[in-house]
Amino acid sequence: MRSMTVVVVGGGVVGFSTAVCIAEALPYCSVTLIADRFTPDTTSDVAAGIVICSPFPDIPLERQQRWFKETIDHLLAIAQSEQASEAGVLLSSGWQIYKELPADKVPFWSSFVLGFRIMTDRELKRFLDHTFGQAFTTVKCECSNYLPWMEKRFRKAGGQVVKQKVNNLQELSSQGYDIIVNCSGLGAKSLVGDSEVYPVRGQVLKVQAPWLQHFIRDGEGQSYIYPGMHSVTVGGTRQVDDWRLEVDPEDSQDILERCSRLEPSLSRARVLGVSVGLRPSRKNVRVEREMVLLGSRLVPVVHNYGHGGWGVTLSWGTALEALGLVRKCLHERCPRARL
Amino acid sequence: MRVAVIGAGVSGLSTAQSIYEQYHSIVSPLTIEVYADRFTPLTTSDGAAGFWQPYLYDKGNVQETKWCKETFDYLLSFLSSPDSIKMGIFLQSGYNLCSEPAPDPSFKDSVLGFRQLTKRELELFPGYCYGWFNTALMVEGKSYLPWLMDWLQKRGVTFYQRKIDSFKVLAESGADVIINCTGVRSGDLQPDPDLTPGRGQILKVDAPWLKHWILTHNFTAGTYNSPYIIPGSRSVVVGGCFQLGNWSEQNNSEDHKEIWEGACQLEPSLKHARIVEDWSGLRPVRSKVRLERETMHNQDVIHNYGHGGFGLTIHRGCAQEAARLLGEILELKGWGPRSRL
């Protein structure tokens, strides 16, 4: 019997993570990844890629914890391997600081990062406006390296990559794919008509400050400093429903002012570039399957989109869950098939 | 008063600084001169990684622990200043790894956020079952020394590039007090059987994905005789060795091989790092720092040498103490606030 064909829509971190999971776990499936944009032009490329997140309101915490844990464990293993530099994955220690005591002093992922603890008074002294903080070690995953590395891995597992804009699921069904996996991020708004998806605009600066070794994040999420391999990402903005992809110089100025308050030495850092990304936001990330009538075919569709600002953070965990859903679809289709 | 400082490493320059700070408004005129055969970037202080950390245990030298802490607090106070980058000062966190449980180190209260390593953290380092994490400071000699020289130059301190063969030479030229910061070669000026070189070799590597220092401790092999990785602002320093009595400043290929293999085992991601160059230096090792004054043939000398592998770590505390010793000399000689010479 012929092998099952799976198509993954989306070339960002969620798309490639999902495609790799499926291709590596199901060698008897033929997996194709289709996207109109690839690195370095995806939303993931703009992201600093620090593994950290806020909870979705309606998804059971255990499920979100599983996503977080699976992703960070996956990335930690890469960081400790010879692949680390090529994959763009590194350990990053630092501080999340709050001006006022947060309701949740300990985030739901605290036991999955390394060495999580509350900051000492002496450590907080440096931050004049902040009264509470958490110190921990997490991972930074730089998509400008990670995505090419994942693509390599995907192709090695037999995956095919196609550059093409998909306007609707019908097109994919007509091409005969057995299962559609939708990792289209913000694109899901038009691709599957999901009105709950909306952009949250984020602008970031890349600066040269090689003396900075720690991340600093204001607990509100507006201001952050994330040292990376070749530059420091300084941000940001959270502009809901703002579709502008152009750089806003006022945002840049505001970001630098706020972040220089956190880290004075930033005022002496050279700005290397500015970018904008639209976080594919949704009240809750959508990881589920549904049967969609496309033409005359009832096609299983596995959705994995709406990760907001936590795409990298939840990439591997949600990809694994999407893999599980694909498995279910295949099983129902051909209960005795070798998968 | 004429003060002649011999040595332009971190000890010589910072002692000149402390002396200027404490006495320039008290003693007038105050002439400070620095003599050295080697200046930045060719001193031992320049080759060192610039990582603030004393040896794990001070073996009863509590005064040294105090001076190290004083240095840490002093450097920390510059972090928010506009000069911090020029001075080469920044924070960096990391791991001290042991192959067996060990008592807490002497510096646990000096550094920030000191804690034991968790089980999960230790899983990152196979072969090590115990250790600590903390945030410490970097003070990179290649930036700090030029900054010190500039600071001193602006305040009228003069520099002379020449090898001083004896204290007598300076005494005869009219120096009132000599400050001996000659490091590992102090024996050339005055035999010191307690002073011996502790040769170290390091590899400078391009690995910008590393953001933590990692030091391993092998209690049989001894301090700095096991792998360490210390990222800096421009490159990563990989070491190390600690060869007592070895005066060679030449890079050794066997040491290179051993150091590189040890480091790659500790940090597999290094496999694809580009090695830029090797460097060898001689730590001025002594059972304890020689920080005292001595009068020989009517000549006052203040010794400030023998800081082993923690010169940058302890420099400010020692410089301040050396300046205090100068104060003792001034008192004895009656050179008080209203003296004019």
Side-chain angles (χ1 to χ4, degrees):
Chain A
M1 60 171 282
R2 67 166 183 88
S3 67
M4 301 292 275
T5 59
V6 179
V7 63
V8 176
V9 183
V13 68
V14 173
F16 267 104
S17 299
T18 309
V20 166
C21 272
I22 298 170
E24 288 184 349
L26 308 175
Y28 299 98
C29 279
S30 129
V31 189
T32 304
L33 185 147
I34 286 186
D36 60 346
R37 287 202 327 243
F38 288 89
T39 179
D41 301 318
T42 71
T43 308
S44 308
D45 288 287
V46 183
I50 281 272
V51 173
I52 214 174
C53 73
S54 299
F56 295 107
D58 306 315
I59 296 178
L61 217 52
E62 301 82 62
R63 196 172 162 210
Q64 298 187 58
Q65 284 175 320
R66 179 171 35 92
W67 291 336
F68 190 104
K69 182 183 194 313
E70 284 170 348
T71 307
I72 201 173
D73 285 349
H74 158 85
L75 292 172
L76 272 171
I78 298 172
Q80 292 309 105
S81 76
E82 293 175 16
Q83 305 276 319
S85 55
E86 196 194 327
V89 181
L90 50 140
L91 284 181
S92 181
S93 293
W95 308 284
Q96 179 162 243
I97 54 182
Y98 299 80
K99 291 187 177 143
E100 283 155 25
L101 204 61
D104 251 327
K105 283 204 243 149
V106 176
F108 76 86
W109 39 262
S110 65
S111 52
F112 308 125
V113 294
L114 300 172
F116 183 93
R117 64 177 170 83
I118 305 300
M119 284 168 75
T120 64
D121 287 335
R122 208 161 147 239
E123 288 176 302
L124 274 168
K125 257 209 195 116
R126 285 211 298 137
F127 304 108
L128 310 163
D129 306 326
H130 298 77
T131 59
F132 176 82
Q134 303 145 342
F136 54 91
T137 302
T138 183
V139 180
K140 186 177 198 283
C141 173
E142 302 190 349
C143 287
S144 51
N145 276 68
Y146 189 62
L147 289 178
W149 184 81
M150 284 292 258
E151 184 173 332
K152 234 167 120 177
R153 204 169 144 170
F154 179 58
R155 287 182 191 275
K156 196 160 172 230
Q160 309 245 337
V161 178
V162 173
K163 187 175 160 89
Q164 190 189 300
K165 171 129 181 108
V166 180
N167 296 299
N168 51 59
L169 296 185
Q170 197 92 1
E171 289 174 15
L172 297 172
S173 171
S174 326
Q175 287 173 47
Y177 290 107
D178 295 309
I179 298 175
I180 298 172
V181 183
N182 173 21
C183 303
S184 54
L186 198 53
K189 195 173 174 73
S190 52
L191 185 67
V192 296
D194 186 343
S195 56
E196 289 177 43
V197 175
Y198 61 94
V200 174
R201 183 181 177 281
Q203 184 162 317
V204 291
L205 284 76
K206 276 217 164 94
V207 308
Q208 190 162 64
W211 59 87
L212 292 182
Q213 312 288 26
H214 298 90
F215 69 79
I216 303 172
R217 181 178 198 263
D218 183 296
E220 284 175 31
Q222 283 274 38
S223 309
Y224 48 81
I225 298 161
Y226 294 137
M229 277 206 283
H230 303 293
S231 63
V232 179
T233 301
V234 175
T237 65
R238 281 187 182 277
Q239 296 142 326
V240 175
D241 270 321
D242 191 334
W243 289 87
R244 289 176 302 146
L245 279 168
E246 315 79 52
V247 165
D248 186 331
E250 273 182 42
D251 283 340
S252 292
Q253 208 182 343
D254 186 49
I255 290 167
L256 279 172
E257 267 168 35
R258 279 185 275 123
C259 291
S260 297
R261 256 194 92 70
L262 298 178
E263 176 56 62
S265 71
L266 268 182
S267 53
R268 282 175 300 293
R270 188 163 66 101
V271 176
L272 298 170
V274 191
S275 358
V276 175
L278 305 178
R279 299 175 185 83
S281 305
R282 202 172 181 272
K283 187 167 180 227
N284 294 284
V285 64
R286 189 179 184 198
V287 188
E288 64 185 8
R289 61 176 181 143
E290 70 172 328
M291 296 301 282
V292 183
L293 187 64
L294 298 167
S296 56
R297 297 174 68 211
L298 204 58
V299 183
V301 179
V302 172
H303 298 286
N304 188 8
Y305 67 86
H307 298 70
W310 322 125
V312 170
T313 299
L314 302 174
S315 54
W316 197 251
T318 51
L320 285 172
E321 185 162 322
L323 166 64
L325 294 172
V326 168
R327 274 204 162 105
K328 279 208 178 105
C329 295
L330 290 168
H331 239 264
E332 282 161 14
R333 193 69 164 262
C334 311
R336 276 168 304 162
R338 264 161 62 209
L339 297 163
Chain B
M1 176 174 68
R2 246 187 86 203
V3 176
V5 178
I6 318 175
V10 70
S11 292
L13 298 180
S14 58
T15 305
Q17 182 186 39
S18 288
I19 289 172
Y20 180 91
E21 281 175 341
Q22 290 187 31
Y23 301 108
H24 82 276
S25 53
I26 296 176
V27 175
S28 186
L30 175 65
T31 311
I32 304 174
E33 296 159 346
V34 176
Y35 297 85
D37 56 354
R38 299 192 204 182
F39 284 85
T40 181
L42 302 170
T43 72
T44 310
S45 309
D46 288 290
F51 171 52
W52 185 101
Q53 185 168 291
Y55 297 167
L56 288 186
Y57 309 109
D58 61 25
K59 301 195 174 127
N61 287 330
V62 290
Q63 190 58 260
E64 287 179 9
T65 299
K66 206 171 130 253
W67 288 329
C68 289
K69 183 180 194 320
E70 189 182 334
T71 306
F72 189 92
D73 291 337
Y74 170 72
L75 294 171
L76 194 65
S77 71
F78 279 96
L79 262 189
S80 322
S81 95
D83 274 344
S84 64
I85 303 162
K86 270 214 226 101
M87 292 170 82
I89 298 174
F90 54 95
L91 289 173
Q92 188 165 209
S93 297
Y95 307 87
N96 275 298
L97 304 170
C98 305
S99 42
E100 59 194 55
D104 284 349
S106 64
F107 52 81
K108 63 181 278 217
D109 295 322
S110 307
V111 296
L112 296 170
F114 178 88
R115 62 171 173 79
Q116 314 287 325
L117 287 176
T118 65
K119 201 157 153 275
R120 240 170 114 234
E121 283 175 310
L122 287 166
E123 281 166 18
L124 299 174
F125 307 107
Y128 298 94
C129 65
Y130 193 79
W132 311 284
F133 183 97
N134 62 256
T135 302
L137 280 164
M138 297 289 292
V139 53
E140 298 186 314
K142 285 223 169 66
S143 296
Y144 193 58
L145 265 58
W147 180 84
L148 273 171
M149 287 197 56
D150 186 63
W151 190 98
L152 293 167
Q153 245 154 10
K154 283 203 170 83
R155 288 156 181 81
V157 174
T158 45
F159 299 89
Y160 304 92
Q161 210 233 328
R162 72 179 84 132
K163 178 145 177 106
I164 303 296
D165 295 313
S166 66
F167 295 126
K168 199 155 155 255
V169 152
L170 287 175
E172 280 167 2
S173 77
D176 296 300
V177 182
I178 296 172
I179 319 287
N180 175 19
C181 298
T182 49
V184 76
R185 284 177 293 276
S186 294
D188 292 350
L189 287 169
Q190 186 188 69
D192 183 346
D194 196 4
L195 179 69
T196 186
R199 181 183 174 277
Q201 183 167 327
I202 51 128
L203 279 61
K204 267 211 231 132
V205 156
D206 208 10
W209 57 90
L210 296 178
K211 307 287 177 190
H212 300 84
W213 41 264
I214 308 172
L215 266 71
T216 65
H217 301 276
N218 182 327
F219 299 113
T220 344
T223 312
Y224 297 135
N225 247 335
S226 58
Y228 61 79
I229 297 165
I230 303 173
S233 63
R234 279 167 274 203
S235 60
V236 177
V237 165
V238 171
C241 60
F242 197 106
Q243 298 153 348
L244 283 173
N246 187 346
W247 281 98
S248 169
E249 290 181 81
Q250 302 303 315
N251 295 316
N252 177 294
S253 56
E254 273 179 39
D255 288 336
H256 173 111
K257 192 161 166 280
E258 202 178 318
I259 290 166
W260 185 241
E261 279 170 11
C264 287
Q265 209 178 29
L266 178 62
E267 179 56 61
S269 72
L270 275 177
K271 193 96 190 279
H272 299 287
R274 185 178 66 100
I275 300 175
V276 177
E277 60 181 0
D278 281 47
W279 179 83
S280 299
L282 308 175
R283 301 175 185 86
V285 176
R286 209 172 178 275
S287 60
K288 63 187 187 92
V289 173
R290 189 177 184 198
L291 185 40
E292 60 189 8
R293 57 185 181 88
E294 184 183 10
T295 313
M296 25 179 148
H297 312 298
N298 245 354
Q299 176 63 52
D300 286 305
V301 178
I302 295 173
H303 299 285
N304 183 11
Y305 69 86
H307 307 86
F310 49 93
L312 287 158
T313 297
I314 202 173
H315 79 272
R316 176 69 178 182
C318 289
Q320 293 288 81
E321 172 66 13
R324 195 191 65 74
L325 290 172
L326 180 63
E328 283 181 3
I329 296 174
L330 292 176
E331 269 209 50
L332 285 172
K333 301 243 155 113
W335 283 341
R338 269 163 299 146
S339 298
R340 294 210 156 258
L341 295 158

